[in-house]
Amino acid sequence: MNIDSMQFWTFFFLILTFGIYMTIAWRSRVKETKEFYVASQGVPTIANGAAIAADWMSAASFIGMAGMIAFLGSDGSVYLMGWTGGYVLLALLLAPYLRKWGKFTVPEFVGDRYSDTVRVVAAICAIVISFTYVVGQMTGGGVVFARFLGLEAHWAVIVAAVVIFFYAVLGGMKGITYTQVAQYSVLIVAYLIPAVAVSQQVGGFPVPQVTYGTILAELDGLREDFGLDRFTEAFAGRDGGQLDVFLVTLSLMLGTAGLPHVIIRFYTTKTVRGARFSGFWALFFISLLYLTAPAVGAFTNLNLLQGAQGATADDLPAWIQPWTDAGYVTLNVDDGAIDSVSNVAASGADLIVSNDILVLASPEISGLPAPIIGLMAAGGMAAALSTAAGLLLVISSAASHDIYYRMISKEVASEKTQMLVGRLAMTAAVVIAIFAGLNPPAFVAQVVAFAFGLAASTFFPILILGIFWKKANAKGAASGMLTGLIFSSGYMIYTLELFGTQANDHLFNVSPEGIGAIGAVLNFAVTITVSNLTRPPSEEVQEMVESIRYPAQQQLKAAGKI
Amino acid sequence: MSHVTHEDSSGTAPPPDNSWRQRYWKKNVRLMVVLLAIWFTVSFGFGILLIEPLNNIVILGFPLGLWFAQQGSIYTFVILILVYALWMDRIDTEFGVSERKQAGEKS
């Protein structure tokens, strides 16, 4: 592979796609606050679905997931099921009702439904959750620039941040929606082309979802030779076994349904019906990547092991060398032959390969031409950019609308001032995220677990109860949210090396990624108990909860003017 | 305090008319319960709790439990949401609360 031509095509596709995104953002720039956040609710459901999909699929989904599955094997299903199954909860239990309620954001809803105190707690949670994600996107974008354009790592992060900032601030939700549709197209094409090519090459049939079954037996055999668990063996990849797999899957599902940057997207449809169909289109588009990811994981794993089989450090496949130079592959060959492979640096295996390179390297592994590699880089950037833009929007709306407009200015600030505060909040978030991205916190992957656990144990229960149980009240929701927050973050701080704390052993085999499910159960229990012991919400609020159950006013056949 | 816009001005609607609301809501809840039962059975049931026995059945190279955990559950999720959206359309029309003509929503 000629490195110069690879750099040329990477540059070509990045410039081309950025040009498209910027043009779309500029053409649909907006000046009204409402337009800025919800795009006049005039977005067709299929476009909205693609935008939700791009918003949702981050650098982690695009770059990291298939690589994780390659090494985790069967248990990679926690991410596959966890990050898609939540959409069933979202589409059936939350989106239509929140849409009918008719407010911008999660803090807006809980502010109306419960109280202003709950609104502020929710706004702060939304900012914290979204910010941790933004950092991940910037470092993800940085990896792409650094590897494919040969930029120095710090500059790579800064360039990624500036681009993200520029069009998020410029476009607002309408710009972001259509930009995200373009980004979805780029990322899915970039993901599917190499997957289909590898499937044809290895399995002799271009549908990866079908052919990866045919190589599983061979892969299992190879993995045993290299000291790995069999790919098809359940509960081998996680220490906590079946219980842990169950809890992690449930936490990721509840977290998915409770994440503020996904929920806000359902307000961009015109109707309740539109919200239901947006949910369908979103998961449909997401499933195209998620159904392909385990196949990509299995194929690259097979290719990698076949390449390493019986090889010595000198006759490894050529694609490994540049990644070794970039520091993502480590060789510890002392006795000549490579007889163990791992993704864990501390394992001491002969060949240690980072999870994060398998997807980006897949075109090289299967010997695809340089333009495809360039497209792959553009796809990884699209995933990072689209998610970061959606997250920045949540940060700015929570800061400008829920905290500044409602709490500080007591609802007298002009549209213009609100927009300014929103943009300042975005700027602050980007600047802080650059600093965090420049000093890459080793815990980025862990903070993602943190964000999901928080969303699952704070937002999900009080949203569900707020919609389905009229008697849920402010005191109940506030105590439930605080219980979930303190319990989940307490356990995470206890078990993870967050903020310099010491990591302790997992209790009862429950990993910190799975604690959100238990936090959510506690939140439900506390909210219900406290609500039952205190005064129910006002008649007016209860009537509002009743009214969101019906999409439109009933039209009688004789009367009715609409 | 915040002001909530009330799209449904049910405060002024004549009270006797509201019996349809209970029937509508009951149908909606029943549909949700059925779909969520399938959601749970396929993902947590087949993909996690029963994955080991199901793995003894191999189809086209896939141990069945693994297939449900990595493929089948996702197909099911997509279909469940589609069924929900289409079925709710029918219920909406039946009760005269459909939004299809009103806002010109494209889908």
Side-chain angles (χ1 to χ4, degrees):
Chain A
M1 183 63 56
N2 185 337
I3 296 299
D4 288 338
S5 87
M6 194 179 88
Q7 280 192 347
F8 166 78
W9 284 108
T10 305
F11 214 60
F12 173 82
F13 276 110
L14 286 177
I15 298 280
L16 179 74
T17 51
F18 284 177
I20 295 172
Y21 309 150
M22 298 307 290
T23 312
I24 296 172
W26 176 255
R27 288 183 59 133
S28 46
R29 66 194 185 280
V30 288
K31 291 177 188 74
E32 297 275 305
T33 313
K34 196 172 183 204
E35 281 258 296
F36 193 72
Y37 295 120
V38 293
S40 337
Q41 299 168 346
V43 179
T45 54
I46 187 164
N48 201 38
I52 295 171
D55 208 333
W56 175 240
M57 290 190 288
S58 60
S61 296
F62 187 94
I63 300 174
M65 192 170 59
M68 285 196 289
I69 297 167
F71 285 102
L72 274 176
S74 178
D75 291 348
S77 63
V78 297
Y79 301 108
L80 295 166
M81 287 198 285
W83 286 337
T84 53
Y87 275 86
V88 178
L89 300 174
L90 193 55
L92 268 58
L93 301 177
L94 296 176
Y97 308 105
L98 293 176
R99 175 66 202 83
K100 181 68 201 297
W101 193 278
K103 284 304 172 79
F104 289 170
T105 61
V106 172
E108 278 273 77
F109 171 76
V110 296
D112 284 349
R113 174 65 182 80
Y114 297 117
S115 74
D116 281 346
T117 319
V118 185
R119 180 205 306 271
V120 174
V121 177
I124 293 168
C125 285
I127 292 175
V128 171
I129 292 170
S130 303
F131 176 75
T132 55
Y133 257 127
V134 171
V135 177
Q137 305 314 310
M138 303 221 163
T139 42
V143 170
V144 174
F145 280 127
R147 165 68 182 91
F148 290 105
L149 294 180
L151 272 182
E152 201 256 324
H154 286 194
W155 284 108
V157 171
I158 291 173
V159 171
V162 167
V163 175
I164 288 168
F165 172 73
F166 195 46
Y167 80 72
V169 168
L170 195 73
M173 185 60 111
K174 196 171 176 197
I176 285 180
T177 301
Y178 287 106
T179 315
Q180 284 178 334
V181 173
Q183 283 161 338
Y184 175 78
S185 316
V186 171
L187 80 86
I188 200 68
V189 168
Y191 204 84
L192 292 182
I193 288 180
V196 167
V198 179
S199 171
Q200 176 70 39
Q201 220 172 50
V202 181
F205 187 64
V207 183
Q209 290 82 353
V210 175
T211 49
Y212 95 92
T214 60
I215 58 134
L216 287 177
E218 190 188 354
L219 180 58
D220 277 351
L222 265 175
R223 284 172 69 103
E224 282 184 332
D225 293 345
F226 281 98
L228 294 162
D229 293 309
R230 286 186 298 123
F231 188 90
T232 54
E233 178 148 351
F235 316 127
R238 303 191 65 90
D239 296 334
Q242 192 165 24
L243 173 71
D244 190 45
V245 168
F246 190 96
L247 288 177
V248 174
T249 308
L250 187 58
S251 296
L252 294 180
M253 284 190 188
L254 301 185
T256 299
L259 277 177
H261 74 288
V262 177
I263 290 177
I264 196 177
R265 303 309 312 240
F266 287 94
Y267 296 99
T268 56
T269 60
K270 271 184 188 151
T271 58
V272 173
R273 180 172 185 269
R276 294 182 197 136
F277 277 94
S278 289
F280 162 70
W281 284 116
L283 188 60
F284 173 80
F285 288 126
I286 290 168
S287 72
L288 293 182
L289 189 143
Y290 275 62
L291 289 166
T292 314
V296 171
F299 284 131
T300 43
N301 196 201
L302 182 76
N303 274 324
L304 175 71
L305 297 182
Q306 280 174 340
Q309 194 177 30
T312 60
D314 300 324
D315 53 4
L316 281 171
W319 66 266
I320 290 182
Q321 189 54 46
W323 293 102
T324 314
D325 297 341
Y328 291 99
V329 176
T330 318
L331 283 164
N332 302 315
V333 187
D334 31 24
D335 56 348
I338 289 169
D339 37 38
S340 56
V341 175
S342 177
N343 61 329
V344 184
S347 65
D350 289 346
L351 180 62
I352 296 167
V353 181
S354 157
N355 290 336
D356 291 342
I357 68 159
L358 286 183
V359 167
L360 290 177
S362 67
E364 293 172 88
I365 296 176
S366 47
L368 291 169
I372 303 291
I373 299 170
L375 187 62
M376 203 76 193
M381 273 314 288
L385 288 176
S386 57
T387 305
L391 293 167
L392 286 175
L393 211 65
V394 168
I395 292 174
S396 96
S397 73
S400 76
H401 198 82
D402 300 309
I403 295 178
Y404 177 76
Y405 176 70
R406 294 278 188 198
M407 296 287 104
I408 299 174
S409 87
K410 304 289 177 206
E411 308 190 15
V412 294
S414 68
E415 296 258 303
K416 229 177 154 181
T417 326
Q418 283 186 63
M419 290 280 285
L420 183 69
V421 173
R423 286 177 168 155
L424 283 176
M426 277 192 189
T427 315
V430 170
V431 171
I432 302 171
I434 290 178
F435 279 110
L438 285 182
N439 310 297
F443 54 85
V444 164
Q446 293 167 345
V447 238
V448 170
F450 203 85
F452 272 93
L454 281 187
S457 56
T458 56
F459 287 147
F460 183 77
I462 65 157
L463 289 176
I464 291 286
L465 290 174
I467 291 167
F468 289 94
W469 192 44
K470 287 181 201 163
K471 296 223 162 57
N473 64 18
K475 287 198 178 80
S479 26
M481 256 172 114
L482 284 176
T483 309
L485 180 73
I486 293 167
F487 175 79
S488 297
S489 52
Y491 187 75
M492 289 181 190
I493 291 167
Y494 178 77
T495 50
L496 295 172
E497 281 178 47
L498 288 164
F499 321 114
T501 56
Q502 197 201 334
N504 293 290
D505 286 343
H506 300 170
L507 301 176
F508 307 108
N509 279 335
V510 176
S511 67
E513 285 170 287
I515 199 67
I518 300 174
V521 171
L522 286 178
N523 183 340
F524 271 117
V526 169
T527 308
I528 291 171
T529 312
V530 174
S531 295
N532 269 328
L533 294 175
T534 49
R535 279 179 52 216
S538 68
E539 282 292 316
E540 192 198 359
V541 169
Q542 295 202 36
E543 182 49 44
M544 272 156 55
V545 177
E546 169 80 19
S547 74
I548 59 172
R549 297 178 173 184
Y550 318 102
Q553 208 169 347
Q554 191 173 31
Q555 291 163 31
L556 299 171
K557 276 164 193 115
K561 49 191 170 176
I562 305 167
Chain B
M1 280 308 289
S2 52
H3 303 280
V4 177
T5 45
H6 238 294
E7 286 175 53
D8 185 355
S9 56
S10 45
T12 56
D17 271 336
N18 281 350
S19 67
W20 69 272
R21 288 182 149 200
Q22 277 157 24
R23 281 180 292 125
Y24 175 90
W25 186 243
K26 210 177 244 177
K27 283 201 173 191
N28 180 3
V29 170
R30 197 180 303 152
L31 176 62
M32 280 186 321
V33 169
V34 169
L35 295 179
L36 287 176
I38 300 172
W39 165 82
F40 184 86
T41 308
V42 173
S43 53
F44 292 97
F46 297 163
I48 297 176
L49 298 174
L50 300 173
I51 186 171
E52 282 167 327
L54 284 173
N55 274 347
N56 294 323
I57 307 164
V58 177
I59 297 169
L60 292 172
F62 287 104
L64 197 57
L66 174 89
W67 184 81
F68 270 112
Q70 299 199 338
Q71 299 278 314
S73 54
I74 303 178
Y75 290 119
T76 312
F77 298 153
V78 176
I79 294 167
L80 287 177
I81 301 181
L82 180 63
V83 168
Y84 178 70
L86 291 173
W87 208 294
M88 286 309 289
D89 265 1
R90 282 177 50 178
I91 298 180
D92 285 353
T93 312
E94 186 188 328
F95 284 87
V97 292
S98 171
E99 305 163 297
R100 237 182 302 189
K101 289 161 229 153
Q102 155 189 332
E105 183 82 47
K106 288 167 237 159
S107 67

